[in-house]
Amino acid sequence: MKPQIPFRIGYQYDNWELSLMSIVDSISDNSYSSYLWVGSEVKKFLNFTPHRTELIFYWDLLKVVILEFDQKSEIYYNRLNKAIIERFLDSEFTLEIHPDGTIIHKFMTRKVNYWNIYFPASKGIRLIYFSNSFTHIKTLLE
C-alpha cells in the first residue's frame, strides 16, 4: 500500500470541521483561517507522524498544511526527503541552504508545492505543502 498524504489541498473545510480547533490566523488576510488538527485519528504524512498539524483554509478550501516535527535529527529530515522524492518521482526539486544553517528542499508537482524545512538550531522540521496558487508562503517562513 502506498504511503498517504493526510490532507488533500483543495478539499472542503466540512471534511474535517469536527476535528479542528480554531487558532490565531497565520496569515493576516481575512480570507484565510487557521486551524489545529485535534482529531482522535493520528494523521501521518508518508508514514511520518508530526507532533503538530495546522490547516489553513481560503474561505472553505484547504490551501496549506503545516506539519511540524520536534527534536528530530538531520538524518530524520533526510529520510523524510527521501520519502517525498520516492512519492513524487516526476516532480522537480530545489535545495536552499541559508546562512543560519536552515535547509529547505522544495518539491514542485503540477498542483502542489512541498517545502521541507530543517532548523538545525532547534532540531525542528516544518513541512509545508500548499496550492501552487498560494502567494503568502514567505509569511509562513517568518
Side-chain angles (χ1 to χ4, degrees), residues 4-7 35-55 65-72 76 79-80 115-117 123-129:
Q4 297 298 306
I5 308 292
F7 302 98
Y35 298 89
L36 194 61
W37 173 257
V38 294
S40 58
E41 181 184 349
V42 175
K43 296 287 191 176
K44 293 183 176 191
F45 178 88
L46 302 178
N47 291 330
F48 292 83
T49 306
H51 85 276
R52 181 180 187 276
T53 301
E54 180 179 343
L55 306 179
V65 177
I66 303 172
L67 305 171
E68 294 183 4
F69 304 83
D70 270 355
Q71 296 299 308
K72 300 297 182 189
Y76 187 93
R79 285 183 27 231
L80 181 53
W115 287 20
N116 194 20
I117 307 160
K123 293 188 182 256
I125 298 170
R126 184 179 304 147
L127 175 64
I128 304 172
Y129 60 100

Side-chain angles (χ1 to χ4, degrees), residues 38-96:
V38 294
S40 58
E41 181 184 349
V42 175
K43 296 287 191 176
K44 293 183 176 191
F45 178 88
L46 302 178
N47 291 330
F48 292 83
T49 306
H51 85 276
R52 181 180 187 276
T53 301
E54 180 179 343
L55 306 179
I56 301 174
F57 293 85
Y58 178 75
W59 297 109
D60 278 348
L61 292 178
L62 183 62
K63 288 292 182 179
V64 181
V65 177
I66 303 172
L67 305 171
E68 294 183 4
F69 304 83
D70 270 355
Q71 296 299 308
K72 300 297 182 189
S73 68
E74 195 169 338
I75 293 168
Y76 187 93
Y77 173 74
N78 291 331
R79 285 183 27 231
L80 181 53
N81 279 332
K82 184 178 181 210
I84 296 170
I85 289 168
E86 289 172 358
R87 176 74 155 95
F88 302 108
L89 289 174
D90 60 343
S91 70
E92 298 177 33
F93 84 90
T94 60
L95 168 67
E96 287 180 17

